């Protein structure tokens, strides 16, 4: 039986980058004789235009029946009114919650050749290789009440940061396990000097550390973490934090890799799919970049690397994922660049389509590693 992958291209550059990622995933699956059936759905701004809702019911249903979801990006100026009751971002938030995707994995690896693309000092960046695990279905993003209302002294608004022990424990466990398979260093980020949710977070992290004696746990306050991340990024291996802190720190961390256009992500839950692996949603961490949409200028590598994460985490195809990663590293090594990656040697500045095509050519040329 074929595995089911739902493709949600989204808005802005979403369709362009997701299109390249889809072609890569399709090709790699075919080469490995793994049968994958791709379906497409409309979500985000285009779904609001066409169906009056960012996440139509039948798209959600398709998502729930899929083994994995590949997403481009959602949003754009057309739907930007923060007071509108329907916003493209609700598609993402709705999918994350409905599918129980509580662990958002955002690897940040600095490729040597892309160090000049970062505004940070080169000697800080050489060898950066970290993963942020961001809690994705709790905290301020989902707590109730969350509303703007009329108070007795004028307008007021409230958001609620709520975390249960179970929500904190499962994401911390996920991060401990990940650290165990890497360099065995886990940094838990909170604001325990101020917030109750953070104090519970820290307490549970310390309790779990007793079960993971092989992993060194360190606690950092989020404000100083923001500083350490750009001062000594090489010191970090796995970083785990709550939803909002993770949102902010991962945009900061993208500067380490030279461009947001290089960073993939996986959002995983507890549900096991028909392949025997975790159901997941895979997307580049960048947004829909409306300013360059439709111009064939976007960097498809983050989306392509998200496709690699899909193969690895939801279909168990680790060798194939590595193949894609090697192909991406090799095009960068050969000097090919999209616009976001800064100066390119003569003739090596590529558009989105050409970059995608080149990655596929390199994959053709590489043999999958035994694994
Ligand atoms: C992200 C994005 C989303 C978030 C937005 C688009 C809702 O910034 O995935 O990091 O805040 O989670
Ligand atoms: Mg964000």
């Amino acid at each position: 039986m074929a595995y089911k992958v739902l493709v949600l291209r989204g808005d802005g550059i979403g369709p362009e980058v997701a299109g390249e990622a889809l072609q890569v995933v399709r090709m790699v699956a075919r080469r490995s004789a793994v049968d994958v059936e791709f379906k497409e759905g409309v979500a985000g701004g285009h779904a609001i235009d066409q169906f009056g809702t960012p996440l139509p019911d039948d798209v959600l249903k398709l998502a729930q029946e899929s083994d994995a979801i590949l997403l481009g990006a959602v949003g754009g100026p057309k739907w930007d009114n923060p007071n509108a009751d329907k916003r493209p971002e609700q598609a993402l938030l709705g999918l994350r919650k409905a599918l129980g995707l509580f662990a958002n994995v955002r690897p940040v690896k600095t490729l040597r050749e892309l160090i000049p693309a970062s505004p940070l000092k080169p000697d800080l960046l050489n060898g950066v290789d970290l993963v942020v695990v961001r809690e994705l279905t709790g905290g301020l993003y989902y707590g109730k009440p969350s509303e703007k209302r009329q108070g007795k002294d004028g307008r007021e608004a409230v958001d609620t940061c709520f975390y249960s022990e179970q929500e904190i424990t499962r994401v911390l466990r996920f991060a401990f396990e990940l650290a165990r398979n890497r360099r065995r260093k886990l940094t838990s980020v909170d604001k325990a000097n101020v917030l109750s949710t953070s104090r519970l977070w820290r307490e549970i992290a310390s309790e779990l550390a007793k079960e993971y004696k092989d992993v060194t746990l360190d606690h950092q306050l989020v404000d100083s973490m923001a500083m350490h991340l750009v001062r000594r990024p090489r010191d970090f291996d796995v970083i785990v934090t709550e939803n909002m802190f993770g949102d902010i720190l991962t945009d900061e961390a993208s500067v380490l890799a030279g461009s947001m256009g290089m960073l993939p992500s996986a959002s995983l839950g507890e549900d096991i799919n028909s392949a025997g692996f975790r159901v997941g949603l895979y997307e580049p961490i960048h947004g829909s970049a409306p300013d360059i949409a439709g111009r064939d200028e976007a960097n498809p590598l983050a989306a392509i690397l998200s496709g690699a994460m899909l193969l690895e985490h939801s279909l168990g195809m680790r060798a194939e994922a590595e193949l894609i990663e090697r192909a991406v590293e090799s095009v960068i090594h050969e000097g090919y660049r999209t616009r976001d990656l800064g100066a390119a040697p003569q003739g090596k500045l590529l558009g989105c389509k050409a970059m995608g095509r080149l990655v596929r050519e390199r994959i053709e040329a590489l043999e999958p590693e035994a694994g």
Side-chain angles (χ1 to χ4, degrees), residues 63 67 69 92-105 134-138 142 170-171 243 266-271 278-283 314:
D67 295 304
I69 301 158
L92 258 185
L93 301 185
L95 279 169
R96 290 171 179 171
K97 193 69 170 180
L99 300 176
L101 307 174
F102 66 86
N104 180 221
V105 182
R134 167 189 173 193
E135 201 291 326
L136 204 59
T137 52
Y142 294 95
R170 66 183 179 183
V171 73
N243 206 343
S267 301
L268 305 167
E270 253 143 25
D271 289 353
R278 286 179 196 260
V279 171
L281 180 145
Y282 301 83
E283 57 177 324
S314 283

Side-chain angles (χ1 to χ4, degrees), residues 162-169 200 204:
F162 172 90
Y163 269 112
S164 71
E165 173 171 6
Q166 179 254 355
E167 287 173 309
I168 297 173
T169 305
L200 178 61
I204 296 174

Side-chain angles (χ1 to χ4, degrees), residues 106 134 141 247 250-251 285:
R106 297 185 165 184
R134 167 189 173 193
Y141 276 62
D247 179 43
T250 49
D251 267 32
I285 86 155

